[in-house]
């Protein structure tokens, strides 16, 4: 094996390790976002099923939860797309 071949193999190995790390980090961020989304949905369901005490406060609480859930859903979609791209890049390097 020539010196340049060893260098290119090392670079590919480094690239693979880097992509695997990014994939792991992205999966963890996605897991956390999914947990947050479940929490927001549960809180919204609880809020909607609670007896109406202070309608204006509950309305503002509901609005905040809906906004947080929407933001988290956008984050989930972004992270899922990023994860797909990273996995495709890793597959290409593996070939």
């Amino acid at each position: 094996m020539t010196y340049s071949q060893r260098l290119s193999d090392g670079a590919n190995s480094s690239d693979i390790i880097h992509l695997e790390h990014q994939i792991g980090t992205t999966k963890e961020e996605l897991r956390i976002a999914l947990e947050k989304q479940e929490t927001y949905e549960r809180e919204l369901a609880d809020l909607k099923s609670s007896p109406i005490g202070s309608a204006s406060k509950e309305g503002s609480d509901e609005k905040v939860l809906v906004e947080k859930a929407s933001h988290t859903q956008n984050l989930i979609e972004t992270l899922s797309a990023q994860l797909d791209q990273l996995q495709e890049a890793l597959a290409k390097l593996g070939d």
Side-chain angles (χ1 to χ4, degrees):
M1 182 180 279
T2 67
Y3 179 74
S4 63
Q5 287 172 324
R6 283 195 301 265
L7 281 179
S8 69
D9 282 346
N12 285 340
S13 176
S14 175
D15 291 344
I16 289 171
I17 291 169
H18 179 71
L19 282 172
E20 287 174 341
H21 175 72
Q22 284 184 307
I23 288 170
T25 301
T26 304
K27 282 182 177 179
E28 180 64 14
E29 290 174 2
L30 182 58
R31 183 191 64 75
I32 291 168
L34 288 167
E35 286 178 0
K36 283 183 181 180
Q37 184 72 1
E38 288 176 13
T39 300
Y40 296 145
E41 289 173 0
R42 197 169 37 254
E43 289 175 3
L44 269 170
D46 290 347
L47 190 62
K48 289 180 180 179
S49 67
S50 70
I52 306 225
S54 57
S56 63
K57 172 140 177 43
E58 287 180 3
S60 65
D61 288 348
E62 183 176 348
K63 183 179 177 183
V64 169
L65 284 172
V66 168
E67 288 174 3
K68 286 181 178 181
S70 176
H71 175 73
T72 304
Q73 183 60 40
N74 290 338
L75 178 61
I76 289 168
E77 291 168 6
T78 300
L79 289 171
S80 295
Q82 182 180 2
L83 185 59
D84 288 343
Q85 291 171 349
L86 289 169
Q87 288 172 333
E88 287 176 20
L90 182 61
K92 287 179 184 176
L93 278 179
D95 291 343

